[in-house]
Structures are given as structure tokens and as C-alpha cells.
Amino acid sequence: MSLPESAVPATPETNPKPTFAEEIRKHIISKYSLINVVTFEDFRCGKTLAELCKVGFKTPLEFFSWSSTDGLVHNDKKIDNTHEAIKALDYVMTFEGSAIFLFKDLYSELKENPKLVRKLRDVYQALKNNFKTLIMTSPTAYVPNEMSKEVAILDFPLPTLTELEKLLNLTLESIKGVPIELSDQDKDDFVKSATGLTWDEARLAFLHAFSGRKSITREAVKVVIEEKSRIVRKDGILEYIDVDFSMSEIGGLENLKDWLLARARFFSKEAQKFGLSAPKGILLTGIAGCGKSSCVKAISQYWRLPLMRLDMTKIYGGVVGNPEESMRRALMTIEAVAPVILWIEEIEKGVAGFNQGDGGVTARIFSSFLTWMQEKKSLVFVAATANQIDQLPPELLRKGRFDEIFFTDLPDEKERAEIFKVHISKRNHDPVKFKLVELAKATNGFSGAEIEQVVASGMFTAFSQKRKFNDLDLYKEISKTVPLSTTMAEQIKEIKRGPTNAPSAQVNNPSLST
């Protein structure tokens, strides 16, 4: 059957990665009669569809939108007796002509109404030979099992950088009587800080950042980032981490620091012109308390990139839908806010069920995560930590997933002295007044975390006795501390033995420590 004039694209496809409008147009041409569009922005989605109906075809299509509050609306006019979903679907089936029908929040009624599901299946049969398409929006992908073969699923993308730039300019133009002191680079930073937000979220973030200021400067970028962190936290799966220290405050780990320094400008335009591809990520494994988590935080500061932590327990807990949907949404959000560092803490716990061969939810989530790690094009650097690398499946450890795997060992004497220096300085005391070499010798077998606790506890003692903090306070705490290397000596031997004996792990720099 040949296409009617109203279904012929006005312009040929030239973009290798089709936009949402181009993708939905292809589906209309291909006679997809039922489509589920996943989005929180049904208003912006509706505007895009209405515009497509006007200019996407040689002969414009009619556009209808439906909600339970307004019923069907066409050209700003409400159609009588269409508030109920089934009656509105009757209208869709009998309408003559080519059209797009946008139904908002229909998914909530489908969950408890088998008659409505049956009606939608009737609509599918009635529309499949016509150029009429019914589009249902929902915040998460939802298709009843009975209709899984009949409904196509598409994602409505968040605003692009171009759209956010336009929004920023409109927001700045609306501000009267306040001087705007922003360079082009400052404006780019504002736009990038709003990536991953919906149109309305970005609009409100810009307005909040600019309100009450005597002049608009780049300092307001911090407010947008803070607003963005609060918005991302709503789902409870991803969390922005506010980093308050740098790599220079971590003792040891010189090999890791050199590796990071060599890649510090991987996201620059010069690097892209040179032909470099962005690093995928690193896995930090080793003894607990030796600085794995601190390193991840410091990388964020080192590279000047935001840090987001993925909580795998909440993925499996299904706090925002089923686990697969939670993971899909989390990865979409991470891609949207790139460039970013994604922190996965104790990753072995997230794939524990896979090792046990459950073949269910864990296997599916793990498989989708591996595929994403392998194929992602956005600048998302994955920084994962693991205390027990032997519990990780070999699929995760092979080359191509992580660029490098680093093992964090107990610090040696020189590194322990440096760690004492870092933590004493961090607490506003002069490390020159302490015998760092002797303290390092007295803490053989201590981890970085244990040394930090020695310093903190010693300061409490000195403060409570209303005197200066000195070496004696530290020696007393050292004498009271039994390090993990003593209480868990056999387990630590196993941890050290495991990575070096496992060729699939490809562990590098086994002497790294903090």
C-alpha cells in the first residue's frame, strides 16, 4: 500500500542519529498505531508532537491530546463526552483522517481496568491499517503483558545543550535592572550545569540562581549545581557527592596519581582532535580502610568533574519501580549529566546474586550494566570499589570494561608518615611539630583509616584536658589500637593472594597504598 500524501516526510533524513521528532515520524510512516513514550514532560512532548503534525509532513496531520481532566482537546477546543478513557478511544477509532492522539497518564488507568486494556487492543486493530497513531505518555515504561507485542516504546529525551542555551538566554533576557557579567565560557558552564534536568527543572534552577543578586556572575553556577543535586536525589538511587578535599590530601597512591594526571585532560577538545577516546573507568580493590573511597572522591576534584554515587541496594529494592526500570533510569540520568564520574561502592555486593547463578533479576541488571559500560559514548567515568575482588564475575574484570584495576595495600613506612602529615594538617595543626618518622615506625600494619582515627582520638584527648595536641596523645592511641592487619591477618592474606593469582583480574600496581 502506498503512503498517502500526509505521511510523506517533508525533508529527507540527514542526521545519522535521529531526533525524537524524526523517530516518531518514522513510526507513523510505518503504521505503528500504539506507542508508549517514556517522559516526565508530557507538556513539552505534546508541543513537540503538535509541531511535528504541522511541519513534519507535506500535508499537516491533526493533533489531539487527552487527559482525564479535560477529555480530548483539538485546536484548544474540548470535545464533549470524552473524559472517560473508553469513550475517548471510541472517538479515536471513528475519527476519519490522519492524526496523532496524545493520551496523558493513561497507564494509571490501565493497571486496574482489564476492560480498558481490551479496548486498547481493539484500537490497535482499528488503527493498524490507517495513518492514525495513539501515543501514551508515562514517567516509566508501562505496557500490560497482554499488549507487549502491540506497543512500541520510545524515550522522550531531556533538553539538549542547544535547548538549554536558549532557555538560559530567555531567562537572562527576562531579568531587568541587574547587570549580567557572564562571558561565553560562563554561559557554557551554566548550560552544562543544567544537563540532565527537565525543561521546567532547568528553568526553575536558573531563576533560583539569579534571584536576589546585585549582578549575575559565574558564582551563580554553584546554585544551579546545588539545585540539580537536590533534584537528582528525589529518586533516591543516584546521589551527588560534595567533595571537600583533593588528591594532595591523600597519602601514597603515587602510581594512581600519575595515571590520573596523564589523563587529566581527556575530555578537552585538544584530546578529541588528537584522537584520544575517553577512559572508561577504574576498579579499586584491596584491604578495607586503605583509601579506596577517598580516592574516588579525590578523582572528582582532581579532574574537576561532578561525582555521583549509584546505590545498588536501592536498585534491587525497586524504590522507583522494578529493578530493571530503576537501573535503566539511573543510567539514562547519568548519561544526561555527563561529563561525570560514576561511583559504585562495594560493587561485589551488587552482583552477588549473579555469582550464585540466580539467572533472574541480578543477571538481567548485571548484563545491561555490562553492555552499557562497553558501549557508552558519553563521558561517564566509572570508579568502582571492591573489598573482595574474588566475588566479581570475570565478565566484569576483562579488558574493555575498566581501563585499569588497582590494588590498595597497607601503607609502607614512608606512606604512613605522609598520612600522619595529611591528617594532622587537615585538622589545623602543624605536622612539623610531630615526629612523623617515629610515628610511622610505631604504626606498622596500620591502614590509612586507622591512622586517621588515631589522630582524631588523640585530638579529643588533648582538647578534653585543655592542653596542646602532641606526640604523646598519638602514641597513647596507637598503643590502644589493634589494627585490622592483626585481627584479620588470614583474611588479608587471602585478599592479597587473590588478585595476584587471578589472571582474569589483571590487577595493576599491587603496591599501591594510602
Side-chain angles (χ1 to χ4, degrees), residues 241-344:
I241 304 299
D242 187 18
V243 179
D244 59 356
F245 63 92
S246 66
M247 186 68 78
S248 62
E249 296 180 50
I250 296 179
L253 291 171
E254 296 305 323
N255 290 334
L256 174 59
K257 291 176 182 177
D258 291 342
W259 189 90
L260 293 170
L261 178 62
R263 292 157 179 79
R265 298 178 65 248
F266 73 84
F267 50 86
S268 66
K269 292 181 179 178
E270 291 81 4
Q272 295 175 15
K273 290 180 180 179
F274 193 76
L276 292 176
S277 58
K280 294 177 180 294
I282 60 173
L283 173 64
L284 291 164
T285 183
I287 301 167
C290 288
K292 296 185 291 294
S293 297
S294 297
C295 283
V296 174
K297 295 177 183 178
I299 292 170
S300 172
Q301 190 76 8
Y302 206 55
W303 281 353
R304 297 179 180 272
L305 290 177
L307 176 64
M308 293 179 69
R309 179 165 55 194
L310 176 64
D311 192 332
M312 293 299 292
T313 61
K314 292 181 179 178
I315 290 285
Y316 290 112
V319 295
V320 289
N322 63 67
E324 292 97 326
E325 176 63 22
S326 297
M327 176 60 85
R328 191 185 73 87
R329 282 180 56 183
L331 295 180
M332 283 182 60
T333 303
I334 292 163
E335 294 256 11
V337 300
V340 68
I341 296 173
L342 173 63
W343 177 18
I344 305 177

Side-chain angles (χ1 to χ4, degrees), residues 443-457:
T443 50
N444 184 38
F446 279 54
S447 68
E450 289 164 341
I451 293 174
E452 180 181 10
Q453 192 56 45
V454 163
V455 175
S457 298

Side-chain angles (χ1 to χ4, degrees), residues 1 27-28 42 46 66 68 95 122 135 194 197 204 206 221 224 260 270 290 309 324 343 362 405 429 473:
M1 180 179 177
H27 280 70
I28 294 170
D42 51 20
W66 177 89
S68 58
F95 178 78
D122 294 339
I135 298 172
L197 301 181
L204 292 172
F206 288 150
V221 172
V224 178
L260 293 170
E270 291 81 4
C290 288
R309 179 165 55 194
E324 292 97 326
W343 177 18
T362 304
I405 300 176
H429 290 272
D473 297 311

Side-chain angles (χ1 to χ4, degrees), residues 2 12 29 72 88 109 122 243 257 312 324 344 353 478 482 494:
S2 61
I29 294 171
L72 279 171
E109 300 192 30
D122 294 339
V243 179
K257 291 176 182 177
M312 293 299 292
E324 292 97 326
I344 305 177
I478 291 170
V482 180
E494 287 297 321

Side-chain angles (χ1 to χ4, degrees), residues 237 310-324 326-327 346-355 358 360-369:
I237 298 175
L310 176 64
D311 192 332
M312 293 299 292
T313 61
K314 292 181 179 178
I315 290 285
Y316 290 112
V319 295
V320 289
N322 63 67
E324 292 97 326
S326 297
M327 176 60 85
E346 296 185 11
I347 192 172
E348 70 270 25
K349 293 182 179 178
V351 297
F354 182 85
N355 273 348
D358 65 1
V361 173
T362 304
R364 293 195 297 272
I365 289 178
F366 179 65
S367 177
S368 65
F369 179 71

Side-chain angles (χ1 to χ4, degrees), residues 15 22 42 106 198 209 215 226 230 238 260 300 313 324 391 420 433 450 478:
N15 190 346
E22 291 167 341
D42 51 20
L106 188 63
T198 66
S215 62
E226 289 172 0
R230 282 193 283 268
L238 292 168
L260 293 170
S300 172
T313 61
E324 292 97 326
Q391 291 188 11
F420 269 111
K433 297 179 180 180
E450 289 164 341
I478 291 170

